[in-house]
Amino acid sequence: MRIYRTDRFVLPLPDGHRFPACKYRMLAEAVEVFAGEYLEEAPAATFHELTRAHTPDYVRGVFDGSLAPARWREIGFPWSTELAERSARSAGATVAAARAALAGGVGISLAGGTHHAFADRGSGFCVFNDVAVAASLMLEEGRVRRVLVIDLDVHQGNGTAALFQNEPRVFTFSMHGEKNFPFRKVDGDWDIDLPDGTGDDAYLATLSAALPALFELARPDLVFYLAGADPYSGDRLGRLALSGAGLTERDRRVFEACRAYGAALAVTMAGGYAEPIEETVAIQTNTVRLALDVYCRAPSGTAACAD
């Protein structure tokens, strides 16, 4: 296992900004306590890598700040050189996690899941679409034949769906809040809309019913899992009603389905906006801890995937 951190590349935001950038540092510090030997600093995605999913003009505009002001407003962040670096590191973390997954079964990014970014623009706190970049690279390099995206962030992955609409080797699955952002959704290969207030039992039953058919349809060599913490009942942008225990069980079912099918797994954290933010960090820490338990603990309790 390898776990890639981006928190040392700070996302500078004005006071009062509603995006909780501090969660990345808090999550890395929490994971370091029990999985420090697996932590590595994320590499920056290169221009070549980013343009596997994005237009060259858009990538250049992010790095030199030349995008139109309306584009930055759509993203929701002010431009800075630090923002550009941080965005490249976030995409690079998912690329590295995919490579680690193919080498050893599982890789984790402590950021990523920026699924609202399109080929030529960002949106909704998403600059580069890290999963689209990594999936396109793995296909281009011949490392995989088929990819499955399991997006369980509370918001539909509209950018990812758009980027892969004409790519039969990538199957996109999104289970999300019906009435939540984005309000104009883009059809993926399989979308499940959930009503406001959906709780543990209904959510888990729907997911469990979908997973076997999903793997049969997608037949993936590699799965990208967006383990959003925002279906949580305490999330200020979520509108669903899952408990922390329900989210852990969600993760378990995804991890065990990937293992049963024999697909490599790259995990990204995606969204999470609880108040207090410590609740989001606890949920995402549990995602990482569970991945370690499912993939890396031998029956004796010793780590089995340290290399």
Side-chain angles (χ1 to χ4, degrees), residues 5-6 11 46 62 103 112 186 196 202 204 286:
R5 64 190 299 171
T6 63
L11 184 62
T46 66
V62 169
V186 176
D196 286 0
L204 293 170
N286 284 338

Side-chain angles (χ1 to χ4, degrees), residues 39-198:
L39 274 173
E40 294 186 15
E41 191 161 272
T46 66
F47 182 84
H48 169 81
E49 290 170 337
L50 292 168
T51 55
R52 300 312 89 194
H54 297 287
T55 64
D57 284 348
Y58 175 64
V59 176
R60 281 191 286 266
V62 169
F63 279 100
D64 64 17
S66 63
L67 295 180
R71 290 302 191 199
W72 290 114
R73 287 194 295 272
E74 185 177 0
I75 291 169
F77 295 142
W79 181 81
S80 64
T81 56
E82 294 88 352
L83 169 71
E85 176 72 12
R86 169 63 174 66
S87 300
R89 296 280 175 171
S90 182
T94 302
V95 172
R99 296 191 192 283
L102 291 168
V106 64
I108 298 175
S109 165
L110 297 184
T114 45
H115 56 172
H116 300 311
F118 291 77
D120 61 349
R121 69 188 192 277
S123 178
F125 302 146
C126 300
V127 179
F128 297 129
N129 193 311
D130 60 302
V131 166
V133 168
S136 298
L137 270 171
M138 297 305 103
L139 288 165
E140 180 182 271
E141 294 173 0
R143 296 174 182 270
V144 297
R145 292 173 298 174
R146 293 183 62 85
V147 172
L148 168 61
V149 179
I150 299 178
D151 189 341
L152 299 186
D153 189 278
V154 81
H155 305 105
Q156 195 245 1
N158 55 341
T160 308
L163 281 159
F164 290 125
Q165 274 188 329
N166 298 312
E167 176 49 88
R169 297 173 296 175
V170 178
F171 193 102
T172 59
F173 172 77
S174 181
M175 197 165 94
H176 50 261
E178 178 182 14
K179 296 179 180 179
N180 212 321
F181 181 90
F183 302 108
R184 296 184 63 183
K185 296 174 173 58
V186 176
D187 290 340
D189 292 298
W190 188 355
D191 293 290
I192 297 178
D193 297 321
L194 299 172
D196 286 0
T198 298

